[in-house]
Amino acid sequence: MPYEYEKNGAAIYLESFATIRAEARLEHFDKDAEQVVVRMIHAAGMVGLEEHVQVSDGMVATARAALENGAPVFCDAYMVSEGVTRKRLPADNDVICTLRDPRVPDMARDMGTTRSAAALELWRDRLGGALVAIGNAPTALFHLLEMLEDPDCPRPAAIIGCPVGFVGARESKEALWQAQPVPSIIVNGRLGGSAITVAAVNAIASRSE
């Protein structure tokens, strides 16, 4: 016996987002932020995620303008960089993850940190005005904040800080939100991950759902 289920992709898409908007509490987000949060909820399959999301005033507009001006997107992990939909990017933007650079293992050993954190040092020459998307490694987010304490380190336009996990994830996001070196999005607590982070990037890159 065949199963009865919706087979029309367009109908699935419309019903999914209608369900999110009917069930989620989105009233405290502005229009731009709401678009991004809806995408994050969709990626997580979790109405209620919005209660954990914090968005700096003007973050989405700032990040979107940066992309429209050709800024690169720096990602802490390939699970993030590979999820970015290139056709959504407004200026054929570079999407960069340096985790597999052959220099990184030695850098991590010398720095006494993870490869995810050490890989960020290779971003410095292009970090100014970029969009940063950290969706996996709390150590990467902590190291980014340490880099930005250096007045000579170029500043990105905006940060999506959504590392996931049980060790350092909550603390790294709290640190980002308290420091606010640039406009940011975080998901409080242990929640986060590559799918949510990619959803935020793709939503920012697009002006419509």
Side-chain angles (χ1 to χ4, degrees):
M1 293 291 293
Y3 291 99
E4 292 294 328
Y5 59 95
E6 181 62 69
K7 301 181 181 71
N8 184 288
I12 293 169
Y13 180 94
L14 291 173
E15 185 176 348
S16 295
F17 286 96
T19 300
I20 292 168
R21 291 189 176 280
E23 296 183 5
R25 299 180 62 183
L26 302 166
E27 59 274 5
H28 59 288
F29 297 107
D30 65 29
K31 183 178 179 181
D32 283 340
E34 178 185 300
Q35 176 197 348
V36 175
V37 174
V38 165
R39 284 282 179 180
M40 294 168 75
I41 293 169
H42 182 254
M46 179 184 171
V47 170
L49 181 71
E50 72 278 5
E51 302 293 339
H52 304 277
V53 178
Q54 292 184 262
V55 186
S56 300
D57 291 342
M59 184 278 176
V60 176
T62 298
R64 186 169 285 155
L67 292 180
E68 290 172 350
N69 287 329
V73 182
F74 283 104
C75 307
D76 68 321
Y78 282 95
M79 285 190 291
V80 178
S81 63
E82 293 304 306
V84 175
T85 305
R86 278 23 179 207
K87 67 181 181 180
R88 285 182 178 267
L89 297 171
D92 195 25
N93 309 73
D94 290 334
V95 181
I96 300 166
C97 180
T98 52
L99 190 56
R100 294 178 186 157
D101 188 289
R103 294 169 288 180
V104 167
D106 287 342
M107 292 170 58
R109 185 188 63 247
D110 293 344
M111 294 167 61
T113 190
T114 66
R115 295 183 184 187
S116 296
L120 272 64
E121 288 293 332
L122 301 176
W123 298 0
R124 284 184 184 262
D125 62 342
R126 296 187 63 190
L127 187 58
L131 175 60
V132 173
I134 295 180
N136 279 263
T139 56
L141 184 51
F142 272 127
H143 188 66
L144 177 64
L145 292 172
E146 291 169 347
M147 289 169 62
L148 294 177
E149 290 178 359
D150 177 358
D152 295 325
C153 181
R155 283 201 152 23
I159 299 169
I160 300 169
C162 298
V164 62
F166 298 92
V167 179
R170 173 179 58 81
E171 294 85 353
S172 66
K173 290 177 284 189
E174 288 176 354
L176 170 60
W177 195 253
Q178 290 169 9
Q180 288 280 328
V182 298
S184 305
I185 293 177
I186 67 167
V187 178
N188 291 319
R190 295 169 172 175
L191 296 170
S194 57
I196 290 172
T197 304
V198 166
V201 174
N202 289 336
I204 288 168
S206 175
R207 288 191 174 274
S208 65
E209 291 187 1

